[in-house]
Amino acid sequence: ASRGWRVLWLDAPTDVLRARIAAQPGTRPSLTGLPPDEEIASVVRERASRYRAVAERRFDTGRDDPGAVVDAIASFLHSERNGGAETAD
């Protein structure tokens, strides 16, 4: 990414995104005016190639618990800081 920023893509399958949004009704405004299921699919299709183009790495947040995702990101960043070699702490 430009200007020295790190870009990590936190991704989830559309069914997981749909469930997360449904669990908090009224908290997210519509971006497209489409019904929620159609909107999620449309936005994911539209954005995926852009995210893929700029992200150093994609992390699937849909199946693992948040702590596991954080651990995976921390491990990746630690490995990158040490020249790409995985190290044990």
Side-chain angles (χ1 to χ4, degrees), residues 3-76:
R3 300 183 186 171
W5 295 101
R6 308 293 302 265
V7 178
L8 306 177
W9 177 12
L10 306 181
D11 192 19
T14 55
D15 62 314
V16 172
L17 297 173
R18 188 177 304 112
R20 289 177 181 169
I21 292 169
Q24 299 177 341
T27 60
R28 291 179 177 253
S30 175
L31 300 174
T32 64
L34 294 169
D37 287 350
E38 292 177 39
E39 179 169 277
I40 293 166
S42 173
V43 170
V44 166
R45 270 192 314 274
E46 180 182 314
R47 293 181 179 182
S49 64
R50 293 177 186 153
Y51 292 161
R52 195 174 293 109
V54 299
E56 290 178 53
R57 182 155 171 198
R58 177 188 164 272
F59 292 89
D60 185 345
T61 66
R63 304 294 179 224
D64 291 330
D65 68 84
V69 175
V70 169
D71 289 345
I73 292 169
S75 177
F76 170 74

